Amino acid sequence: MSGNITFTMIKPEAVEKKETGAILKRIIEGGFKIKALKMTRLTKEQAGEFYGVHKGKPFYESLITYMSNGPILAAILEKNNAVADFRKLLGKTDPNEADECTLRKEFAESKSKNAVHGSDSDENANIEANFFFSKRERF
Ligand code: CMP
């Protein structure tokens, strides 16, 4: 059975462009409930750990440099079928391939600077949520 939470991050370039409000509005209107929310900044080491699954890939070093380059907005979202439904709202990694009305079509600059992250499985949603939030910070 699919779980009911997913994890998202609004990435540094979208925060810098003051798009957090517009993106959160789309998420809430998409039926997701915000269970935890935090503006924070990753160190390069933390970004490396978060994206550890991509270690060794050609884009890994630039990804962790970019993700530690400025503040991000991290959130836990709740909805039935949260992971799959959020990935639908998010759109494909490359905004040029993303469907109309998706967050990446609207807000992403490129495949690497793609504005918003979303977990790819229930297992990773829990790992990623726990990476950013303690039990006390969730309701
Ligand atoms: P995200 O959904 O946060 O998960 C991994 C991230 O790595 C992805 O978004 C992109 O920011 C980045 N990424 C994935 N594939 C590529 C690629 N081929 N080239 C550059 N960046 C990528």
Side-chain angles (χ1 to χ4, degrees), residues 11 51 54 59 63 66 93 104 111-112 114 116-118:
K11 300 187 180 186
Y51 282 115
H54 296 296
F59 59 85
L63 173 65
Y66 148 63
T93 306
R104 284 177 172 160
K111 196 170 188 174
S112 49
N114 61 1
V116 190
H117 168 81

Side-chain angles (χ1 to χ4, degrees), residues 8-24 27 39-40 66-67 69-74 90 103-104 106-110 112-117:
T8 187
M9 258 191 295
I10 301 180
K11 300 187 180 186
E13 95 280 8
V15 173
E16 170 73 23
K17 289 193 289 185
K18 302 183 169 59
E19 291 171 334
T20 48
I23 293 171
L24 282 178
I27 291 172
M39 181 74 90
T40 186
Y66 148 63
M67 287 303 301
N69 208 23
I72 55 109
L73 192 70
L90 199 52
L103 294 175
R104 284 177 172 160
E106 191 170 341
F107 297 101
E109 286 179 17
S110 65
S112 49
K113 292 187 174 180
N114 61 1
V116 190
H117 168 81

Side-chain angles (χ1 to χ4, degrees), residues 85-100:
D85 283 3
F86 191 69
R87 288 179 76 80
K88 249 186 254 165
L89 178 65
L90 199 52
K92 292 204 172 143
T93 306
D94 185 341
N96 294 316
E97 294 172 6
D99 289 339
E100 294 300 325

